Short mmCIF file of all heavy atoms in Angstrom, two decimals:
data_model
loop_
_atom_site.label_atom_id
_atom_site.label_comp_id
_atom_site.label_asym_id
_atom_site.label_seq_id
_atom_site.Cartn_x
_atom_site.Cartn_y
_atom_site.Cartn_z
N MET A 83 3.62 10.16 3.31
CA MET A 83 2.43 9.37 3.50
C MET A 83 2.81 8.20 4.41
O MET A 83 3.71 7.43 4.10
CB MET A 83 1.93 8.89 2.13
CG MET A 83 0.69 8.05 2.17
SD MET A 83 0.08 7.66 0.50
CE MET A 83 -1.31 8.72 0.45
N ALA A 84 2.14 8.10 5.53
CA ALA A 84 2.40 7.02 6.47
C ALA A 84 1.46 5.85 6.19
O ALA A 84 0.55 5.94 5.37
CB ALA A 84 2.21 7.52 7.90
N SER A 85 1.69 4.74 6.85
CA SER A 85 0.87 3.55 6.61
C SER A 85 -0.61 3.81 6.89
O SER A 85 -1.47 3.23 6.23
CB SER A 85 1.39 2.36 7.41
OG SER A 85 1.35 2.63 8.78
N GLY A 86 -0.92 4.67 7.84
CA GLY A 86 -2.31 4.99 8.12
C GLY A 86 -3.00 5.65 6.94
O GLY A 86 -4.16 5.35 6.64
N GLU A 87 -2.30 6.55 6.26
CA GLU A 87 -2.86 7.18 5.07
C GLU A 87 -3.00 6.18 3.93
O GLU A 87 -3.96 6.23 3.16
CB GLU A 87 -2.01 8.38 4.62
CG GLU A 87 -2.15 9.60 5.50
CD GLU A 87 -1.29 9.58 6.74
OE1 GLU A 87 -0.34 8.79 6.81
OE2 GLU A 87 -1.58 10.36 7.65
N ILE A 88 -2.04 5.29 3.82
CA ILE A 88 -2.12 4.25 2.78
C ILE A 88 -3.32 3.34 3.05
O ILE A 88 -4.05 2.98 2.14
CB ILE A 88 -0.81 3.44 2.70
CG1 ILE A 88 0.35 4.37 2.29
CG2 ILE A 88 -0.95 2.28 1.72
CD1 ILE A 88 1.72 3.75 2.41
N THR A 89 -3.53 3.01 4.32
CA THR A 89 -4.68 2.20 4.70
C THR A 89 -5.98 2.86 4.25
O THR A 89 -6.83 2.20 3.63
CB THR A 89 -4.70 2.01 6.24
OG1 THR A 89 -3.52 1.31 6.62
CG2 THR A 89 -5.92 1.26 6.71
N LYS A 90 -6.12 4.13 4.52
CA LYS A 90 -7.33 4.86 4.11
C LYS A 90 -7.43 4.97 2.60
O LYS A 90 -8.51 4.81 2.02
CB LYS A 90 -7.34 6.26 4.73
CG LYS A 90 -7.56 6.24 6.23
CD LYS A 90 -7.49 7.64 6.80
CE LYS A 90 -7.57 7.60 8.32
NZ LYS A 90 -7.40 8.93 8.90
N ARG A 91 -6.32 5.26 1.95
CA ARG A 91 -6.32 5.44 0.49
C ARG A 91 -6.75 4.16 -0.23
O ARG A 91 -7.49 4.20 -1.21
CB ARG A 91 -4.93 5.88 0.04
CG ARG A 91 -4.73 6.00 -1.46
CD ARG A 91 -5.56 7.11 -2.06
NE ARG A 91 -5.30 7.25 -3.47
CZ ARG A 91 -5.91 6.54 -4.42
NH1 ARG A 91 -6.82 5.64 -4.11
NH2 ARG A 91 -5.62 6.74 -5.69
N LEU A 92 -6.28 3.01 0.26
CA LEU A 92 -6.60 1.75 -0.40
C LEU A 92 -7.87 1.09 0.13
O LEU A 92 -8.41 0.19 -0.50
CB LEU A 92 -5.42 0.77 -0.24
CG LEU A 92 -4.10 1.18 -0.86
CD1 LEU A 92 -3.04 0.13 -0.58
CD2 LEU A 92 -4.25 1.41 -2.35
N GLY A 93 -8.32 1.53 1.30
CA GLY A 93 -9.51 0.93 1.89
C GLY A 93 -9.27 -0.48 2.38
O GLY A 93 -10.14 -1.35 2.23
N VAL A 94 -8.08 -0.72 2.93
CA VAL A 94 -7.72 -2.05 3.43
C VAL A 94 -7.29 -1.95 4.89
O VAL A 94 -7.15 -0.86 5.44
CB VAL A 94 -6.59 -2.68 2.58
CG1 VAL A 94 -7.03 -2.87 1.14
CG2 VAL A 94 -5.33 -1.83 2.63
N SER A 95 -7.05 -3.08 5.50
CA SER A 95 -6.64 -3.12 6.90
C SER A 95 -5.16 -2.75 7.06
O SER A 95 -4.39 -2.78 6.09
CB SER A 95 -6.87 -4.52 7.48
OG SER A 95 -5.97 -5.44 6.88
N ARG A 96 -4.79 -2.45 8.29
CA ARG A 96 -3.37 -2.18 8.59
C ARG A 96 -2.52 -3.40 8.28
O ARG A 96 -1.39 -3.28 7.80
CB ARG A 96 -3.20 -1.81 10.06
CG ARG A 96 -3.81 -0.48 10.43
CD ARG A 96 -3.59 -0.15 11.88
NE ARG A 96 -3.84 -1.34 12.71
CZ ARG A 96 -3.51 -1.47 13.97
NH1 ARG A 96 -2.91 -0.49 14.59
NH2 ARG A 96 -3.77 -2.57 14.64
N GLN A 97 -3.05 -4.58 8.56
CA GLN A 97 -2.32 -5.81 8.28
C GLN A 97 -2.07 -5.98 6.79
O GLN A 97 -0.99 -6.42 6.37
CB GLN A 97 -3.08 -7.03 8.83
CG GLN A 97 -3.14 -7.09 10.34
CD GLN A 97 -4.23 -6.21 10.93
OE1 GLN A 97 -5.07 -5.65 10.23
NE2 GLN A 97 -4.21 -6.05 12.24
N ARG A 98 -3.07 -5.63 5.98
CA ARG A 98 -2.91 -5.74 4.53
C ARG A 98 -1.86 -4.75 4.03
O ARG A 98 -1.06 -5.10 3.16
CB ARG A 98 -4.25 -5.51 3.82
CG ARG A 98 -4.17 -5.66 2.33
CD ARG A 98 -3.82 -7.08 1.92
NE ARG A 98 -3.79 -7.20 0.48
CZ ARG A 98 -2.84 -7.83 -0.19
NH1 ARG A 98 -1.87 -8.46 0.46
NH2 ARG A 98 -2.86 -7.89 -1.49
N VAL A 99 -1.84 -3.55 4.56
CA VAL A 99 -0.81 -2.58 4.18
C VAL A 99 0.57 -3.13 4.54
O VAL A 99 1.51 -3.02 3.76
CB VAL A 99 -1.07 -1.20 4.81
CG1 VAL A 99 0.13 -0.29 4.62
CG2 VAL A 99 -2.30 -0.57 4.20
N GLN A 100 0.69 -3.75 5.70
CA GLN A 100 1.97 -4.34 6.10
C GLN A 100 2.41 -5.39 5.08
O GLN A 100 3.57 -5.45 4.70
CB GLN A 100 1.85 -4.97 7.50
CG GLN A 100 3.10 -5.66 7.97
CD GLN A 100 4.30 -4.75 8.09
OE1 GLN A 100 4.18 -3.60 8.44
NE2 GLN A 100 5.46 -5.27 7.77
N GLN A 101 1.48 -6.21 4.63
CA GLN A 101 1.80 -7.22 3.61
C GLN A 101 2.23 -6.56 2.31
O GLN A 101 3.21 -6.99 1.69
CB GLN A 101 0.59 -8.11 3.34
CG GLN A 101 0.21 -9.00 4.48
CD GLN A 101 -1.12 -9.70 4.24
OE1 GLN A 101 -1.89 -9.32 3.35
NE2 GLN A 101 -1.40 -10.71 5.04
N LEU A 102 1.50 -5.54 1.89
CA LEU A 102 1.82 -4.86 0.64
C LEU A 102 3.19 -4.21 0.68
O LEU A 102 3.92 -4.22 -0.32
CB LEU A 102 0.76 -3.82 0.31
CG LEU A 102 -0.63 -4.35 -0.02
CD1 LEU A 102 -1.64 -3.22 -0.09
CD2 LEU A 102 -0.61 -5.15 -1.30
N THR A 103 3.56 -3.63 1.81
CA THR A 103 4.86 -2.94 1.89
C THR A 103 6.03 -3.91 1.82
O THR A 103 7.15 -3.48 1.58
CB THR A 103 4.96 -2.09 3.17
OG1 THR A 103 4.86 -2.92 4.32
CG2 THR A 103 3.89 -1.00 3.20
N CYS A 104 5.77 -5.19 1.99
CA CYS A 104 6.83 -6.20 1.88
C CYS A 104 7.03 -6.69 0.45
O CYS A 104 7.99 -7.40 0.17
CB CYS A 104 6.52 -7.39 2.79
SG CYS A 104 6.59 -6.98 4.54
N ARG A 105 6.12 -6.30 -0.44
CA ARG A 105 6.24 -6.73 -1.83
C ARG A 105 7.43 -6.06 -2.49
O ARG A 105 7.78 -4.91 -2.18
CB ARG A 105 4.97 -6.36 -2.60
CG ARG A 105 3.78 -7.20 -2.25
CD ARG A 105 2.51 -6.77 -2.92
NE ARG A 105 2.64 -6.37 -4.32
CZ ARG A 105 1.63 -6.35 -5.18
NH1 ARG A 105 0.42 -6.71 -4.78
NH2 ARG A 105 1.81 -5.96 -6.42
N GLU A 106 8.05 -6.77 -3.43
CA GLU A 106 9.21 -6.21 -4.13
C GLU A 106 8.85 -5.00 -4.99
O GLU A 106 9.69 -4.13 -5.19
CB GLU A 106 9.85 -7.29 -5.00
CG GLU A 106 10.60 -8.33 -4.21
CD GLU A 106 11.35 -9.29 -5.10
OE1 GLU A 106 11.65 -8.95 -6.27
OE2 GLU A 106 11.65 -10.39 -4.62
N ASP A 107 7.60 -4.95 -5.48
CA ASP A 107 7.23 -3.85 -6.35
C ASP A 107 6.72 -2.62 -5.59
O ASP A 107 6.45 -1.59 -6.20
CB ASP A 107 6.19 -4.29 -7.39
CG ASP A 107 4.87 -4.72 -6.78
OD1 ASP A 107 4.78 -4.88 -5.55
OD2 ASP A 107 3.90 -4.92 -7.54
N PHE A 108 6.59 -2.73 -4.27
CA PHE A 108 6.12 -1.59 -3.48
C PHE A 108 7.26 -0.60 -3.29
O PHE A 108 8.40 -1.00 -3.06
CB PHE A 108 5.60 -2.06 -2.12
CG PHE A 108 4.69 -1.06 -1.46
CD1 PHE A 108 3.35 -1.01 -1.78
CD2 PHE A 108 5.19 -0.16 -0.52
CE1 PHE A 108 2.50 -0.07 -1.18
CE2 PHE A 108 4.37 0.77 0.08
CZ PHE A 108 3.02 0.81 -0.25
N PRO A 109 6.98 0.69 -3.39
CA PRO A 109 8.05 1.69 -3.24
C PRO A 109 8.77 1.59 -1.88
O PRO A 109 8.15 1.26 -0.87
CB PRO A 109 7.32 3.03 -3.34
CG PRO A 109 6.02 2.73 -3.99
CD PRO A 109 5.68 1.32 -3.63
N ALA A 110 10.03 1.88 -1.92
CA ALA A 110 10.81 1.92 -0.68
C ALA A 110 10.40 3.16 0.11
O ALA A 110 10.05 4.19 -0.48
CB ALA A 110 12.30 1.98 -1.00
N PRO A 111 10.43 3.06 1.43
CA PRO A 111 10.10 4.25 2.22
C PRO A 111 11.08 5.39 1.94
O PRO A 111 12.26 5.16 1.67
CB PRO A 111 10.25 3.78 3.67
CG PRO A 111 10.26 2.31 3.62
CD PRO A 111 10.75 1.92 2.26
N TYR A 112 10.57 6.60 1.98
CA TYR A 112 11.41 7.78 1.82
C TYR A 112 12.30 7.95 3.03
O TYR A 112 13.48 8.28 2.92
CB TYR A 112 10.51 9.01 1.62
CG TYR A 112 11.26 10.31 1.59
CD1 TYR A 112 12.05 10.65 0.51
CD2 TYR A 112 11.18 11.21 2.65
CE1 TYR A 112 12.75 11.85 0.47
CE2 TYR A 112 11.87 12.41 2.62
CZ TYR A 112 12.65 12.72 1.54
OH TYR A 112 13.34 13.90 1.51
N THR A 113 11.72 7.73 4.21
CA THR A 113 12.47 7.83 5.46
C THR A 113 11.76 7.00 6.52
O THR A 113 10.64 6.55 6.33
CB THR A 113 12.61 9.30 5.91
OG1 THR A 113 13.56 9.39 6.96
CG2 THR A 113 11.28 9.88 6.37
N GLU A 114 12.44 6.80 7.62
CA GLU A 114 11.84 6.12 8.76
C GLU A 114 12.00 6.99 9.99
O GLU A 114 13.10 7.38 10.35
CB GLU A 114 12.49 4.76 8.98
CG GLU A 114 11.74 3.94 10.02
CD GLU A 114 12.07 2.47 9.97
OE1 GLU A 114 12.59 2.00 8.96
OE2 GLU A 114 11.78 1.80 10.97
N LEU A 115 10.87 7.32 10.58
CA LEU A 115 10.85 8.15 11.78
C LEU A 115 10.58 7.28 12.99
O LEU A 115 10.26 6.09 12.85
CB LEU A 115 9.76 9.23 11.65
CG LEU A 115 9.83 10.12 10.41
CD1 LEU A 115 8.61 11.03 10.35
CD2 LEU A 115 11.11 10.93 10.42
N SER A 116 10.64 7.85 14.17
CA SER A 116 10.36 7.07 15.37
C SER A 116 8.91 6.56 15.37
O SER A 116 8.61 5.53 15.97
CB SER A 116 10.61 7.90 16.63
OG SER A 116 9.79 9.05 16.63
N LEU A 117 8.03 7.26 14.65
CA LEU A 117 6.63 6.83 14.57
C LEU A 117 6.37 5.82 13.46
O LEU A 117 5.29 5.26 13.37
CB LEU A 117 5.73 8.05 14.35
CG LEU A 117 5.73 9.07 15.49
CD1 LEU A 117 4.92 10.29 15.10
CD2 LEU A 117 5.19 8.45 16.76
N GLY A 118 7.34 5.60 12.59
CA GLY A 118 7.16 4.63 11.52
C GLY A 118 7.73 5.11 10.20
O GLY A 118 8.36 6.15 10.10
N ARG A 119 7.50 4.31 9.17
CA ARG A 119 8.01 4.60 7.84
C ARG A 119 7.12 5.60 7.12
O ARG A 119 5.92 5.64 7.32
CB ARG A 119 8.11 3.31 7.02
CG ARG A 119 9.11 2.35 7.61
CD ARG A 119 9.14 1.05 6.87
NE ARG A 119 7.87 0.35 7.12
CZ ARG A 119 7.51 -0.78 6.52
NH1 ARG A 119 8.31 -1.35 5.64
NH2 ARG A 119 6.36 -1.35 6.80
N ILE A 120 7.74 6.39 6.24
CA ILE A 120 7.05 7.42 5.46
C ILE A 120 7.40 7.21 3.99
O ILE A 120 8.56 7.03 3.64
CB ILE A 120 7.50 8.84 5.90
CG1 ILE A 120 7.28 9.06 7.40
CG2 ILE A 120 6.79 9.91 5.06
CD1 ILE A 120 5.84 9.03 7.84
N TRP A 121 6.38 7.24 3.14
CA TRP A 121 6.55 7.11 1.70
C TRP A 121 6.17 8.40 1.02
O TRP A 121 5.35 9.16 1.53
CB TRP A 121 5.65 5.99 1.16
CG TRP A 121 6.07 4.63 1.55
CD1 TRP A 121 6.85 3.76 0.84
CD2 TRP A 121 5.71 3.93 2.75
NE1 TRP A 121 7.00 2.59 1.54
CE2 TRP A 121 6.31 2.66 2.72
CE3 TRP A 121 4.93 4.25 3.87
CZ2 TRP A 121 6.17 1.73 3.73
CZ3 TRP A 121 4.80 3.32 4.88
CH2 TRP A 121 5.41 2.07 4.80
N LEU A 122 6.74 8.64 -0.14
CA LEU A 122 6.37 9.79 -0.94
C LEU A 122 5.00 9.51 -1.56
O LEU A 122 4.78 8.45 -2.16
CB LEU A 122 7.39 10.06 -2.05
CG LEU A 122 8.76 10.52 -1.58
CD1 LEU A 122 9.70 10.64 -2.78
CD2 LEU A 122 8.67 11.84 -0.84
N GLU A 123 4.08 10.46 -1.42
CA GLU A 123 2.73 10.27 -1.95
C GLU A 123 2.76 10.01 -3.45
O GLU A 123 2.01 9.15 -3.95
CB GLU A 123 1.88 11.50 -1.64
CG GLU A 123 0.44 11.34 -2.07
CD GLU A 123 -0.43 12.52 -1.68
OE1 GLU A 123 0.08 13.50 -1.11
OE2 GLU A 123 -1.63 12.45 -1.94
N SER A 124 3.61 10.70 -4.16
CA SER A 124 3.68 10.52 -5.62
C SER A 124 4.08 9.09 -5.98
O SER A 124 3.55 8.52 -6.94
CB SER A 124 4.65 11.51 -6.24
OG SER A 124 5.95 11.35 -5.69
N GLU A 125 4.98 8.49 -5.22
CA GLU A 125 5.40 7.11 -5.50
C GLU A 125 4.29 6.11 -5.17
O GLU A 125 4.10 5.13 -5.89
CB GLU A 125 6.67 6.77 -4.73
CG GLU A 125 7.87 7.52 -5.24
CD GLU A 125 9.16 7.14 -4.52
OE1 GLU A 125 9.13 6.26 -3.63
OE2 GLU A 125 10.20 7.72 -4.87
N ILE A 126 3.55 6.38 -4.11
CA ILE A 126 2.43 5.50 -3.75
C ILE A 126 1.34 5.59 -4.80
O ILE A 126 0.78 4.57 -5.24
CB ILE A 126 1.88 5.85 -2.35
CG1 ILE A 126 2.95 5.61 -1.28
CG2 ILE A 126 0.61 5.05 -2.05
CD1 ILE A 126 3.48 4.19 -1.20
N GLU A 127 1.02 6.80 -5.24
CA GLU A 127 -0.02 6.97 -6.26
C GLU A 127 0.38 6.29 -7.57
O GLU A 127 -0.46 5.66 -8.23
CB GLU A 127 -0.33 8.46 -6.49
CG GLU A 127 -1.02 9.12 -5.32
CD GLU A 127 -2.39 8.53 -4.98
OE1 GLU A 127 -3.07 8.00 -5.88
OE2 GLU A 127 -2.78 8.62 -3.80
N LEU A 128 1.65 6.38 -7.95
CA LEU A 128 2.12 5.70 -9.15
C LEU A 128 2.02 4.19 -8.98
O LEU A 128 1.58 3.48 -9.89
CB LEU A 128 3.57 6.11 -9.45
CG LEU A 128 4.18 5.52 -10.72
CD1 LEU A 128 3.38 5.94 -11.95
CD2 LEU A 128 5.63 5.95 -10.84
N TRP A 129 2.39 3.68 -7.81
CA TRP A 129 2.26 2.24 -7.54
C TRP A 129 0.80 1.80 -7.64
O TRP A 129 0.50 0.75 -8.22
CB TRP A 129 2.83 1.91 -6.16
CG TRP A 129 2.72 0.46 -5.83
CD1 TRP A 129 3.58 -0.54 -6.17
CD2 TRP A 129 1.66 -0.17 -5.09
NE1 TRP A 129 3.12 -1.74 -5.70
CE2 TRP A 129 1.94 -1.54 -5.04
CE3 TRP A 129 0.50 0.30 -4.49
CZ2 TRP A 129 1.11 -2.45 -4.39
CZ3 TRP A 129 -0.33 -0.61 -3.85
CH2 TRP A 129 -0.03 -1.96 -3.80
N ILE A 130 -0.10 2.60 -7.11
CA ILE A 130 -1.53 2.28 -7.18
C ILE A 130 -1.96 2.16 -8.64
O ILE A 130 -2.64 1.21 -9.02
CB ILE A 130 -2.37 3.32 -6.41
CG1 ILE A 130 -2.12 3.17 -4.90
CG2 ILE A 130 -3.85 3.16 -6.74
CD1 ILE A 130 -2.70 4.29 -4.05
N LEU A 131 -1.56 3.12 -9.46
CA LEU A 131 -1.93 3.10 -10.88
C LEU A 131 -1.35 1.90 -11.61
O LEU A 131 -2.02 1.29 -12.46
CB LEU A 131 -1.46 4.38 -11.57
CG LEU A 131 -2.24 5.65 -11.25
CD1 LEU A 131 -1.55 6.86 -11.86
CD2 LEU A 131 -3.66 5.53 -11.76
N GLN A 132 -0.13 1.54 -11.30
CA GLN A 132 0.55 0.49 -12.04
C GLN A 132 0.35 -0.92 -11.49
O GLN A 132 0.34 -1.87 -12.25
CB GLN A 132 2.05 0.78 -12.08
CG GLN A 132 2.39 2.02 -12.86
CD GLN A 132 3.88 2.32 -12.85
OE1 GLN A 132 4.63 1.81 -12.03
NE2 GLN A 132 4.32 3.19 -13.75
N CYS A 133 0.17 -1.04 -10.18
CA CYS A 133 0.23 -2.37 -9.57
C CYS A 133 -0.97 -2.79 -8.74
O CYS A 133 -1.19 -3.98 -8.55
CB CYS A 133 1.47 -2.46 -8.66
SG CYS A 133 3.01 -2.12 -9.51
N TRP A 134 -1.72 -1.87 -8.21
CA TRP A 134 -2.78 -2.20 -7.25
C TRP A 134 -3.96 -2.83 -7.95
O TRP A 134 -4.54 -2.28 -8.88
CB TRP A 134 -3.20 -0.96 -6.50
CG TRP A 134 -4.35 -1.16 -5.54
CD1 TRP A 134 -5.54 -0.51 -5.58
CD2 TRP A 134 -4.40 -2.04 -4.41
NE1 TRP A 134 -6.34 -0.93 -4.54
CE2 TRP A 134 -5.66 -1.88 -3.82
CE3 TRP A 134 -3.51 -2.95 -3.86
CZ2 TRP A 134 -6.06 -2.58 -2.69
CZ3 TRP A 134 -3.90 -3.66 -2.74
CH2 TRP A 134 -5.15 -3.47 -2.17
N ARG A 135 -4.32 -3.99 -7.49
CA ARG A 135 -5.50 -4.70 -7.97
C ARG A 135 -6.35 -5.06 -6.76
O ARG A 135 -6.14 -6.10 -6.13
CB ARG A 135 -5.11 -5.98 -8.72
CG ARG A 135 -4.21 -5.77 -9.92
CD ARG A 135 -4.95 -5.04 -11.04
NE ARG A 135 -4.07 -4.79 -12.16
CZ ARG A 135 -3.52 -3.62 -12.43
NH1 ARG A 135 -3.72 -2.59 -11.66
NH2 ARG A 135 -2.75 -3.47 -13.49
N PRO A 136 -7.31 -4.20 -6.41
CA PRO A 136 -8.12 -4.49 -5.23
C PRO A 136 -8.96 -5.74 -5.45
O PRO A 136 -9.34 -6.06 -6.57
CB PRO A 136 -9.01 -3.25 -5.08
CG PRO A 136 -9.01 -2.61 -6.41
CD PRO A 136 -7.72 -2.98 -7.07
N ARG A 137 -9.21 -6.42 -4.37
CA ARG A 137 -10.06 -7.60 -4.44
C ARG A 137 -11.49 -7.16 -4.70
O ARG A 137 -11.95 -6.17 -4.14
CB ARG A 137 -10.02 -8.37 -3.14
CG ARG A 137 -8.70 -9.03 -2.88
CD ARG A 137 -8.78 -9.81 -1.62
NE ARG A 137 -7.50 -10.48 -1.40
CZ ARG A 137 -7.36 -11.51 -0.61
NH1 ARG A 137 -8.37 -11.99 0.05
NH2 ARG A 137 -6.19 -12.07 -0.47
N THR A 138 -12.17 -7.90 -5.51
CA THR A 138 -13.58 -7.64 -5.75
C THR A 138 -14.40 -8.61 -4.93
O THR A 138 -13.89 -9.64 -4.46
CB THR A 138 -13.93 -7.79 -7.24
OG1 THR A 138 -13.70 -9.15 -7.60
CG2 THR A 138 -13.11 -6.87 -8.11
N ALA A 139 -15.65 -8.33 -4.76
CA ALA A 139 -16.53 -9.23 -4.02
C ALA A 139 -16.53 -10.61 -4.67
O ALA A 139 -16.57 -11.63 -3.99
CB ALA A 139 -17.94 -8.66 -3.96
N ARG A 140 -16.44 -10.64 -5.97
CA ARG A 140 -16.45 -11.90 -6.69
C ARG A 140 -15.19 -12.73 -6.40
O ARG A 140 -15.27 -13.91 -6.16
CB ARG A 140 -16.55 -11.61 -8.19
CG ARG A 140 -16.64 -12.82 -9.03
CD ARG A 140 -16.80 -12.42 -10.48
NE ARG A 140 -17.79 -13.28 -11.05
CZ ARG A 140 -18.50 -13.03 -12.09
NH1 ARG A 140 -18.37 -11.90 -12.71
NH2 ARG A 140 -19.36 -13.90 -12.56
N SER A 141 -14.00 -12.11 -6.40
CA SER A 141 -12.77 -12.86 -6.16
C SER A 141 -12.67 -13.30 -4.70
O SER A 141 -12.10 -14.33 -4.41
CB SER A 141 -11.53 -12.04 -6.56
OG SER A 141 -11.41 -10.91 -5.74
N VAL A 142 -13.24 -12.54 -3.79
CA VAL A 142 -13.24 -12.93 -2.38
C VAL A 142 -14.12 -14.15 -2.19
O VAL A 142 -13.79 -15.06 -1.46
CB VAL A 142 -13.70 -11.76 -1.48
CG1 VAL A 142 -13.90 -12.22 -0.05
CG2 VAL A 142 -12.69 -10.63 -1.54
N ALA A 143 -15.27 -14.20 -2.89
CA ALA A 143 -16.19 -15.32 -2.77
C ALA A 143 -15.56 -16.61 -3.28
O ALA A 143 -15.83 -17.68 -2.77
CB ALA A 143 -17.48 -15.02 -3.54
N LYS A 144 -14.69 -16.50 -4.27
CA LYS A 144 -14.03 -17.69 -4.82
C LYS A 144 -12.94 -18.22 -3.91
O LYS A 144 -12.58 -19.37 -3.97
CB LYS A 144 -13.42 -17.37 -6.19
CG LYS A 144 -14.43 -17.13 -7.26
CD LYS A 144 -13.72 -16.84 -8.57
CE LYS A 144 -14.71 -16.59 -9.68
NZ LYS A 144 -14.03 -16.29 -10.94
N ALA A 145 -12.39 -17.36 -3.08
CA ALA A 145 -11.25 -17.75 -2.24
C ALA A 145 -11.62 -18.70 -1.15
O ALA A 145 -12.53 -19.23 -0.84
CB ALA A 145 -10.64 -16.51 -1.59
#
């Protein structure tokens, strides 16, 4: 799963995915190709279940 697929899966911008991949709790890439980093889909899905907290319209309004 490349960052583009993660972007679509989470419904966030490319910049937000870049921020998320820098988090300590985000899975390490499986490999890095000339086109970019690749993550295992199973690890991303597990991270989503355990760690992902999407912003709600309410929390964005408070910010």
Side-chain angles (χ1 to χ4, degrees):
M83 180 175 253
S85 61
E87 285 83 17
I88 297 170
T89 298
K90 290 177 186 175
R91 175 66 177 85
L92 298 178
V94 298
S95 68
R96 292 181 316 166
Q97 292 81 9
R98 182 64 178 135
V99 169
Q100 177 61 35
Q101 292 171 345
L102 293 171
T103 62
C104 293
R105 288 175 40 159
E106 288 186 22
D107 64 349
F108 200 83
Y112 174 72
T113 192
E114 189 162 342
L115 305 174
S116 60
L117 297 174
R119 295 176 291 174
I120 304 295
W121 290 265
L122 292 176
E123 184 176 3
S124 59
E125 291 183 2
I126 297 301
E127 291 297 332
L128 182 61
W129 179 85
I130 290 170
L131 287 172
Q132 294 178 344
C133 303
W134 176 239
R135 301 292 178 257
R137 291 183 179 200
T138 63
R140 183 178 223 157
S141 65
V142 171
K144 291 180 180 179

